[in-house]
């Protein structure tokens, strides 16, 4: 399992979480292809994080799945806008941290051999 973390992205975590839920559990190659055609700003950042996590583990995109894609709230930039009668209102510019974990997919043949080895160990 490998992971990638992108911090302080100027994007609301609420908006980024909508996209992160879409790709969770997907094959990495399929997730990257679907993110490429999404019109959202966050899709580009999440695609970058997925490709980074795949490269960090030294895997190919078609042999791993996105096991977890988490978006946390980062620091909030606070700005002020002048309003009527000399008052001001606060503008919040949120940032977010994106954490992506990818893990290797086990084929059904590998799962059965592991299960057989485990059952042999229990018997002896």
């Amino acid at each position: 399992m490998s992971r990638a973390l992108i911090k302080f992205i100027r994007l609301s975590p609420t908006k980024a979480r909508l996209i992160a839920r879409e790709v969770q559990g997907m094959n990495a190659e399929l997730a990257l292809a679907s993110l490429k055609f999404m019109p959202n700003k966050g899709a580009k950042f999440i695609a970058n994080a997925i490709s980074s996590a795949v490269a960090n583990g030294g895997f190919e995109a078609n042999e791993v799945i996105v096991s977890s894609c988490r978006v946390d709230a980062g620091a909030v930039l606070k700005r002020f806008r002048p309003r009527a009668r000399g008052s001001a209102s606060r503008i919040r510019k949120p940032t977010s941290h994106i954490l992506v974990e990818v893990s290797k997919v086990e084929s059904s043949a590998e799962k059965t051999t592991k299960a057989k080895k485990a059952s042999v160990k229990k018997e002896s």
Side-chain angles (χ1 to χ4, degrees):
M1 181 171 73
S2 63
R3 48 188 259 172
L5 176 65
I6 301 178
K7 297 177 90 174
F8 300 107
I9 291 177
R10 262 291 291 123
L11 176 71
S12 168
T14 324
K15 294 177 182 177
R17 282 184 193 121
L18 293 172
I19 301 157
R21 285 191 190 112
E22 291 290 322
V23 297
Q24 210 160 10
M26 272 185 161
N27 183 326
E29 189 175 31
L30 182 63
L32 288 170
S34 64
L35 287 170
K36 186 176 181 179
F37 295 104
M38 281 190 188
N40 309 58
K41 180 180 177 181
K44 179 182 171 187
F45 294 119
I46 292 175
N48 188 10
I50 291 173
S51 62
S52 209
V54 169
N56 287 344
F59 301 121
E60 291 293 324
N62 58 357
E63 61 188 25
V64 294
I65 60 166
V66 180
S67 57
S68 133
C69 186
R70 194 175 77 203
V71 179
D72 298 324
V76 176
L77 303 173
K78 294 180 177 100
R79 303 291 182 256
F80 291 95
R81 167 165 284 152
R83 302 306 292 251
R85 299 184 183 183
S87 64
S89 64
R90 181 180 287 164
I91 297 173
R92 296 178 74 248
K93 297 192 173 199
T95 61
S96 54
H97 307 311
I98 298 174
L99 174 79
V100 174
E101 292 179 347
V102 296
S103 59
K104 197 160 176 84
V105 180
E106 288 188 33
S107 67
S108 59
E110 290 176 5
K111 287 181 184 177
T112 55
T113 55
K114 284 185 180 180
K116 285 179 184 177
K117 286 180 183 178
S119 65
V120 169
K121 287 182 181 178
K122 286 181 183 177
E123 290 174 2
S124 56

